[in-house]
Amino acid sequence: KYKMDVGADMGGFDIFSWYMDIPPVSRIYFTSAFLTTTCCAVEIINPYYLYYNTELIFEGQIWRLFSPFLFFGLFSIDFIFNMYFLVRHCRQLEEGDFRGKPSQFILMILFGITSICLLTPFLKSHNFLGSALTFMMTYVWGRRNEDVRMSMFGVISFTAPYLPWVMLGFGFLVGNPIDMSIVGILVGHAYYFLEYVYPVIAEIRGFKRKRLLVPPRFFRYLCGEELEELRMVDGVIVRGGGGGHEHQD
């Protein structure tokens, strides 16, 4: 009986198993970016309908708020590098700091998309923004893994926080524009401060609001984080297992 091995084994590397091991949010983003690039390469989709344009967005083409982050150019070495860093650091963040907190991870991505879209109009001729989001994730990952040692081509050794700067320098040397890389680093630093530095300052100084980037409760519920915490008692939605009624608006 003929049996097809779905996971193509390339010298012991199972592509299908590797793909399915990617956590859900990272896998959805990677798949969307890869399929978008593939559809553009075979001319199913015209990149003209994907690029970021504020005038067209205000005319009703809302998808342009997200589509610029899904197209990384046609298949090339630059595309492979972007996909590598996207999957690597997106995955490591989701499996590390954001393990079991998909709503918080999605909030980080939305924060990045929003901030980059707000900064892009001040730059010239940048229609696709995925590289900036990749740099943002790389920056946050590096700051959260300060002791990880890395090397570039086995020649330059450095710790993880310097990775986005090394990538920026390498891009500059090969002639790539670096302004979107700088935007990604700036947005990554803003997120790092708001998510990890501000709560410490707020605790020390006794601020009433300890955290600024908190997903709405309904968003956490949609992501499956509070399904077991919500229950109905006498027609009222309450939280937890206590006897007190805590109304949910």
Side-chain angles (χ1 to χ4, degrees), residues 47-68:
Y48 173 80
Y49 296 106
L50 303 177
Y51 75 90
Y52 182 79
N53 185 297
T54 52
E55 294 181 2
L56 294 177
I57 290 172
F58 282 113
E59 289 178 5
Q61 299 184 20
I62 305 299
W63 68 84
R64 292 183 186 270
L65 288 170
F66 302 98
S67 60

Side-chain angles (χ1 to χ4, degrees), residues 3-246:
K3 180 179 179 181
M4 178 179 291
D5 186 3
V6 179
D9 191 355
M10 301 187 336
F13 179 70
D14 190 338
I15 296 177
F16 183 75
S17 296
W18 169 82
Y19 174 76
M20 294 307 297
D21 284 341
I22 300 174
V25 178
S26 302
R27 184 165 67 240
I28 291 172
Y29 187 22
F30 167 69
T31 303
S32 301
F34 185 83
L35 290 179
T36 300
T37 300
T38 302
C39 289
C40 290
V42 298
E43 299 183 353
I44 295 176
I45 299 177
N46 189 330
Y48 173 80
Y49 296 106
L50 303 177
Y51 75 90
Y52 182 79
N53 185 297
T54 52
E55 294 181 2
L56 294 177
I57 290 172
F58 282 113
E59 289 178 5
Q61 299 184 20
I62 305 299
W63 68 84
R64 292 183 186 270
L65 288 170
F66 302 98
S67 60
F69 296 92
L70 299 177
F71 182 66
F72 289 83
L74 299 180
F75 293 114
S76 62
I77 295 297
D78 192 49
F79 170 79
I80 293 174
F81 270 104
N82 273 301
M83 288 295 98
Y84 171 77
F85 286 110
L86 171 67
V87 174
R88 176 183 173 84
H89 298 129
C90 193
R91 173 178 183 167
Q92 290 178 336
L93 282 172
E94 189 172 358
E95 291 178 335
D97 282 15
F98 299 98
R99 178 182 293 273
K101 298 182 289 185
S103 64
Q104 188 69 33
F105 187 53
I106 295 173
L107 182 65
M108 184 194 79
I109 295 175
L110 293 177
F111 174 88
I113 289 175
T114 303
S115 301
I116 293 168
C117 285
L118 291 175
L119 292 173
T120 297
F122 297 100
L123 305 175
K124 295 182 178 179
S125 65
H126 282 285
N127 301 323
F128 298 102
L129 314 176
S131 62
L133 190 61
T134 299
F135 263 83
M136 174 203 168
M137 293 185 183
T138 302
Y139 181 91
V140 174
W141 175 83
R143 292 298 302 268
R144 295 297 293 166
N145 295 272
E146 295 184 352
D147 296 328
V148 175
R149 296 201 60 81
M150 312 186 74
S151 66
M152 188 173 186
F153 306 125
V155 178
I156 305 175
S157 296
F158 52 91
T159 53
Y162 293 100
L163 177 59
W165 301 104
V166 172
M167 292 168 56
L168 185 148
F170 179 75
F172 176 77
L173 290 175
V174 299
N176 291 335
I178 62 172
D179 40 3
M180 290 308 296
S181 303
I182 294 174
V183 167
I185 291 174
L186 290 176
V187 173
H189 183 73
Y191 179 84
Y192 178 81
F193 176 83
L194 294 174
E195 177 64 17
Y196 299 106
V197 178
Y198 172 82
V200 177
I201 296 175
E203 186 67 32
I204 294 174
R205 299 191 176 181
F207 294 166
K208 183 177 181 180
R209 189 171 182 85
K210 306 298 184 184
R211 294 187 61 202
L212 298 177
L213 300 177
V214 180
R217 182 169 296 169
F218 80 91
F219 191 42
R220 298 199 301 270
Y221 178 78
L222 290 177
C223 290
E225 295 178 26
E226 298 196 351
L227 289 175
E228 297 181 357
E229 299 181 31
L230 302 179
R231 59 194 181 92
M232 186 76 70
V233 176
D234 298 329
V236 179
I237 299 178
V238 299
R239 285 171 57 88
H245 285 34
E246 182 175 341

